[in-house]
Amino acid sequence: MSTTTDAPRRPARPLPWTPGEVEHRLRAIAAERYHHRHPFNLRMHDGLLTREELRCWVLNRFHYQRHIPIKDALILAKLDDRDLRRSWIRRIHDHDGRDGDDGEQGDAGGIERWLRLGEAAGLDRMPLLSGEGVLPGVRFAVEGYVNFCRLATPLEAIASSLTELFAPDLMVTRIGAWERHYPWIEPEGLRYFQVRVQQGRRDADEALALVHRWAETRADQERVLAAFTYKCDVLWSLLDAVEHATTTGSADAG
Amino acid sequence: MSTTTDAPRRPARPLPWTPGEVEHRLRAIAAERYHHRHPFNLRMHDGLLTREELRCWVLNRFHYQRHIPIKDALILAKLDDRDLRRSWIRRIHDHDGRDGDDGEQGDAGGIERWLRLGEAAGLDRMPLLSGEGVLPGVRFAVEGYVNFCRLATPLEAIASSLTELFAPDLMVTRIGAWERHYPWIEPEGLRYFQVRVQQGRRDADEALALVHRWAETRADQERVLAAFTYKCDVLWSLLDAVEHATTTGSADAG
């Protein structure tokens, strides 16, 4: 309990990274772990999936899609600042849709667009809405992500959304690949991906600015990278489950 | 482990109440425990509060107001149904405000209206926004309510909002009482109460319809009444803390 000035010093804390260094590290993690590299995604974009395999993915990924407004409501509940909530709430409307005001056209929302993607790929709404064919590995990954957003700090919850930095490029690749390789899917079904290109960029910019503002110490920044890694693993794990089901023949997408 | 048909029967479960009977019980609880009967509210509406006492209430009640969007985001995250979320999210906008679209006027929201109420009553925004003068009893009551909405079932969380059934009448009484007894408060400051008359009626109708639909058994209905009682106690306890502070002279509303 020495209080003299020559008490042994604590080891120096590492200085925080610059915003550019944080981004560099996010990109390095994404290059290795973001699901654009997953074998199932590579097969999808190379046109190698059967109709049943693609439908299996559409159905299982819908389980993730329908939980986006839930996780965003949990993040919203963590935000003390009204102006920040006023901005973040847009993400819930983007997926749930918004009613039209005064005769203006509303927005059906991303969940509805995904249901139409399913229809364009030959899947009825009912199996998607019932959630019956969802694989256990997909359920666990999605549940893990929702609980992460429920229990983590606001900084970590927001950092976990930074996969949006890489989603728009993936959407652009996907749109091209699907048009080329899966012409049996009605083009109108690709609307979900098209809308997400712009929404994803805007969401990523917003989340990255918050992360730069809030992560003041190296320890904070390391928590950001850990949250981002966790989220990459959620998306990867979802595809692992789908890939395993399709290659072992246990996929049943109705 | 008898499986014969003459095994002793379980006692008969009570039949569910009719919707009218549930409402009758809600009204009976409100008649006894809703905060319109609290001595502090009675003194307020009889014009017996000093300026300092009224300011103390405005400041402490703001702590409740600013948590309404938080508790509604937690309820939103419990709702599986997209259409239901699309409706419930309106409550968050009602307090946080909405941006204007295409030159249309936005809505400043209930939190902003409460800050203006404070200004009309001679309180700067800063002490309200800092939350510094908030009494411990008020903090605990609000924290209890937010955690109730976080942890309870969707039915219970929604039932706890049913105090809105009784809020509009209280608002109407309050507007009249304040105009009569506290003419030093600028009339524009009463806008919060005026807006809540309509919003409260609509919110109460929505919540009551959900409660009638979801509470199928007597046990469900009893959980509804317990949740409603809990919420009445939150509001009552908030006023207990304010009353205690004002009568013992420990109120300091800046």
Side-chain angles (χ1 to χ4, degrees):
Chain A
M1 299 296 278
S2 165
T3 56
T4 61
T5 50
D6 57 359
R9 280 197 196 154
R10 290 187 195 171
R13 298 229 173 100
L15 288 174
W17 290 308
T18 65
E21 286 169 332
V22 171
E23 272 182 66
H24 178 75
R25 280 171 168 78
L26 287 168
R27 288 183 192 284
I29 294 167
E32 198 189 330
R33 306 175 88 108
Y34 186 56
H35 66 164
H36 69 309
R37 289 191 54 189
H38 192 285
F40 190 87
N41 245 334
L42 296 178
R43 284 207 293 138
M44 179 194 291
H45 295 171
D46 285 343
L48 301 175
L49 296 186
T50 65
R51 291 185 186 207
E52 276 314 298
E53 286 172 331
L54 204 61
R55 285 177 188 142
C56 176
W57 175 77
V58 168
L59 184 144
N60 276 279
R61 171 80 192 193
F62 181 68
H63 188 69
Y64 176 88
Q65 298 298 136
R66 78 194 313 180
H67 283 86
I68 295 175
I70 308 289
K71 71 96 183 163
D72 277 318
L74 291 167
I75 293 176
L76 199 67
K78 289 180 192 293
L79 302 176
D80 285 337
D81 184 79
R82 181 194 54 180
D83 292 336
L84 202 43
R85 286 196 303 268
R86 264 172 83 146
S87 180
W88 200 270
I89 201 170
R90 185 194 61 230
R91 296 165 190 248
I92 300 176
H93 286 296
D94 285 345
H95 285 87
D96 279 343
R98 356 175 121 62
D99 298 322
D101 292 329
D102 299 329
E104 272 181 62
Q105 215 173 347
D107 170 21
I111 290 177
E112 173 61 25
R113 279 190 285 276
W114 197 276
L115 289 167
R116 291 180 193 169
L117 167 66
E119 289 174 328
L123 275 173
D124 284 342
R125 290 171 170 242
M126 279 321 293
L128 268 72
L129 288 171
S130 77
E132 243 179 74
V134 178
L135 298 159
V138 172
R139 285 188 199 281
F140 289 132
V142 171
E143 191 175 293
Y145 181 40
V146 171
N147 279 330
F148 184 89
C149 292
R150 192 190 311 275
L151 299 171
T153 63
L155 174 62
E156 290 167 316
I158 283 174
S160 73
S161 80
L162 285 175
T163 44
E164 289 299 335
L165 280 170
F166 308 97
D169 284 354
L170 184 62
M171 295 299 107
V172 169
T173 303
R174 182 167 294 155
I175 292 164
W178 282 38
E179 283 172 345
R180 196 157 52 249
H181 298 303
Y182 309 106
W184 53 272
I185 297 174
E186 295 166 35
E188 183 55 29
L190 304 185
R191 189 90 191 106
Y192 176 84
F193 304 130
Q194 289 155 353
V195 170
R196 283 310 298 169
V197 173
Q198 288 314 313
Q199 288 180 347
R201 285 190 180 130
R202 184 206 53 195
D203 291 352
D205 288 347
E206 179 188 44
L208 193 59
L210 286 170
V211 160
H212 286 324
R213 181 154 28 116
W214 289 354
E216 293 185 65
T217 66
R218 177 72 75 85
D220 289 339
Q221 292 171 330
E222 279 167 356
R223 277 186 280 269
V224 164
L225 298 182
F228 178 71
T229 303
Y230 176 87
K231 171 65 175 304
C232 285
D233 292 352
V234 166
L235 298 173
W236 193 277
S237 182
L238 192 157
L239 290 184
D240 275 353
V242 172
E243 187 183 42
H244 182 258
T246 51
T247 54
T248 59
S250 58
D252 176 14
Chain B
M1 296 297 276
S2 165
T3 54
T4 61
T5 50
D6 55 1
R9 283 197 194 155
R10 290 185 194 172
R13 296 225 174 104
L15 288 174
W17 290 307
T18 64
E21 286 169 332
V22 171
E23 274 184 64
H24 178 76
R25 280 172 169 78
L26 287 167
R27 288 182 193 284
I29 293 167
E32 198 187 331
R33 304 174 88 110
Y34 186 58
H35 65 166
H36 69 308
R37 288 192 55 190
H38 192 285
F40 190 86
N41 246 333
L42 296 178
R43 283 206 294 139
M44 180 195 290
H45 294 170
D46 285 344
L48 300 176
L49 296 186
T50 66
R51 292 186 183 205
E52 276 314 297
E53 286 172 332
L54 203 61
R55 286 177 187 141
C56 176
W57 174 78
V58 168
L59 183 144
N60 276 280
R61 172 79 192 193
F62 181 67
H63 188 69
Y64 176 89
Q65 297 298 137
R66 75 192 314 178
H67 283 86
I68 295 175
I70 308 288
K71 71 95 182 162
D72 277 317
L74 291 167
I75 293 175
L76 199 67
K78 288 180 193 291
L79 302 176
D80 286 336
D81 183 78
R82 182 194 53 180
D83 292 337
L84 201 44
R85 286 196 303 268
R86 262 172 85 147
S87 180
W88 200 270
I89 200 169
R90 185 193 62 230
R91 295 167 190 246
I92 300 176
H93 287 295
D94 285 345
H95 284 89
D96 279 344
R98 354 174 123 62
D99 298 324
D101 292 329
D102 299 330
E104 272 181 63
Q105 214 174 349
D107 171 21
I111 291 177
E112 172 62 25
R113 279 189 284 277
W114 196 277
L115 289 167
R116 291 179 194 170
L117 167 66
E119 289 174 328
L123 274 172
D124 283 344
R125 288 170 172 247
M126 279 320 293
L128 268 71
L129 288 170
S130 78
E132 242 179 78
V134 178
L135 298 160
V138 171
R139 285 190 198 282
F140 289 132
V142 170
E143 191 176 293
Y145 181 40
V146 170
N147 279 329
F148 184 89
C149 292
R150 191 189 314 274
L151 300 170
T153 63
L155 174 63
E156 290 168 315
I158 283 174
S160 73
S161 79
L162 284 175
T163 43
E164 289 299 335
L165 279 169
F166 307 97
D169 284 353
L170 184 61
M171 295 300 106
V172 169
T173 303
R174 182 167 295 155
I175 293 164
W178 283 37
E179 284 172 345
R180 197 159 52 249
H181 298 302
Y182 309 106
W184 53 273
I185 297 174
E186 294 167 35
E188 183 55 28
L190 303 185
R191 189 92 191 106
Y192 176 85
F193 304 130
Q194 287 155 355
V195 170
R196 283 308 299 169
V197 173
Q198 287 312 312
Q199 288 180 346
R201 285 193 179 127
R202 184 207 54 196
D203 292 351
D205 288 347
E206 179 188 44
L208 192 59
L210 286 170
V211 160
H212 285 325
R213 180 154 29 116
W214 289 354
E216 293 185 62
T217 66
R218 176 73 75 87
D220 289 339
Q221 293 170 329
E222 280 169 355
R223 279 186 279 268
V224 164
L225 299 183
F228 178 72
T229 303
Y230 176 87
K231 171 66 176 302
C232 286
D233 292 352
V234 166
L235 299 173
W236 192 277
S237 182
L238 193 158
L239 290 184
D240 274 353
V242 173
E243 187 183 43
H244 183 259
T246 51
T247 53
T248 60
S250 59
D252 175 15

